Amino acid sequence: MKKIISFLSAAVMAVNVCAFAAADTLTGTYTFIDTAYSPDLDMYVAMAKDFSAADHKTQLYRSKDGVEWTQCFRDAKPGKNYAAQKTRQNLVWWEDEGVFAAQVGGTTYVSSNGVNWTVPAGIGSSSNGLLETDGESLMIVHGRTMKIIPTKDSTAESFALSDNSGRYYYAAGKYKGEEKYFALQSDQYGGYMGKVEGAERTVTKDKFIG
């Protein structure tokens, strides 16, 4: 699992079919900020954002060798994050589902081949969010909320991890071998953890860990 802690229509809608030359270059003021690798496909996908623009538009590229890159998602809708803008995890390989997942402009896209990207109907919007996966489920943390998505075709479960309107969680993960999910945030006083545990989905909010 990549960067466990990082500072990080009922139909499925098909979008943005990749059809570009085999050696595209990064254009304009875009900067690469994240990558994911699929051992099943032996493929890398990389995300680039334009931080010079107010809306931080996004591009995705794919590569089989890490040298030659092909653009496969161009100028998606705006995707500005308000914290950890260049280190927040927005791209993962979701092993059990056999798909890449990318967080772009408040929308989660998935792709089984790095070419065709779709929007699963059950996940919903997640502005200012980050992604994490343990290989089984997908986690999305946006603001004070965590979403847990067991499969790409299931409806996301949403949990409020904080009652503090000024607290935003910036990293997420899952305890190995346990049905226990967590998100982390830190400030000048220390760190805070929000947790969702067990089949009953018990929520612990803003646990101080400083």
Side-chain angles (χ1 to χ4, degrees), residues 8-82:
L8 28 71
S9 181
V12 174
M13 178 180 65
V15 292
N16 233 323
V17 176
C18 185
F20 302 95
D24 288 334
T25 57
L26 196 61
T27 58
T29 51
Y30 281 84
T31 301
F32 282 121
I33 63 163
D34 206 353
T35 58
Y37 174 71
S38 164
D40 296 348
L41 301 175
D42 191 24
M43 178 185 291
Y44 300 89
V45 171
M47 176 179 287
K49 283 195 174 187
D50 182 1
F51 291 106
S52 70
D55 53 10
H56 292 188
K57 286 186 177 180
T58 303
Q59 296 177 348
L60 296 177
Y61 291 76
R62 60 185 173 88
S63 174
K64 296 291 282 187
D65 59 8
V67 178
E68 299 293 326
W69 293 87
T70 301
Q71 190 184 79
C72 53
F73 198 114
R74 186 197 302 269
D75 289 331
K77 62 184 180 179
K80 186 170 184 177
N81 291 324
Y82 292 92

Side-chain angles (χ1 to χ4, degrees), residues 38-205:
S38 164
D40 296 348
L41 301 175
D42 191 24
M43 178 185 291
Y44 300 89
V45 171
M47 176 179 287
K49 283 195 174 187
D50 182 1
F51 291 106
S52 70
D55 53 10
H56 292 188
K57 286 186 177 180
T58 303
Q59 296 177 348
L60 296 177
Y61 291 76
R62 60 185 173 88
S63 174
K64 296 291 282 187
D65 59 8
V67 178
E68 299 293 326
W69 293 87
T70 301
Q71 190 184 79
C72 53
F73 198 114
R74 186 197 302 269
D75 289 331
K77 62 184 180 179
K80 186 170 184 177
N81 291 324
Y82 292 92
Q85 293 178 352
K86 296 185 179 182
T87 58
R88 180 180 296 240
Q89 183 161 286
N90 291 131
L91 181 64
V92 296
W93 170 249
W94 189 355
E95 184 178 1
D96 277 15
E97 293 299 294
V99 295
F100 290 103
Q103 181 74 9
V104 179
T107 300
T108 302
Y109 295 84
V110 298
S111 175
S112 61
N113 57 12
V115 179
N116 307 93
W117 294 82
T118 61
V119 180
I123 294 181
S125 62
S126 306
S127 61
N128 195 34
L130 65 91
L131 297 180
E132 185 55 272
T133 180
D134 64 338
E136 297 177 1
S137 54
L138 186 71
M139 293 152 268
I140 303 174
V141 176
H142 60 115
R144 293 169 285 157
T145 302
M146 171 179 274
K147 289 184 176 181
I148 300 172
I149 305 99
T151 73
K152 67 180 186 299
D153 298 318
S154 59
T155 300
E157 304 173 76
S158 259
F159 305 92
L161 299 183
S162 177
D163 294 322
N164 184 334
S165 61
R167 181 155 295 136
Y168 298 95
Y169 284 87
Y170 304 137
K174 185 183 179 202
Y175 288 80
K176 186 174 181 180
E178 299 183 56
E179 193 67 13
K180 185 186 295 186
Y181 303 85
F182 65 90
L184 298 174
Q185 183 264 351
S186 63
D187 59 20
Q188 67 268 34
Y189 304 108
Y192 298 86
M193 176 184 288
K195 293 190 292 184
V196 181
E197 301 181 65
E200 5 0 271
R201 299 304 200 222
T202 302
V203 176
T204 302
K205 298 181 180 181

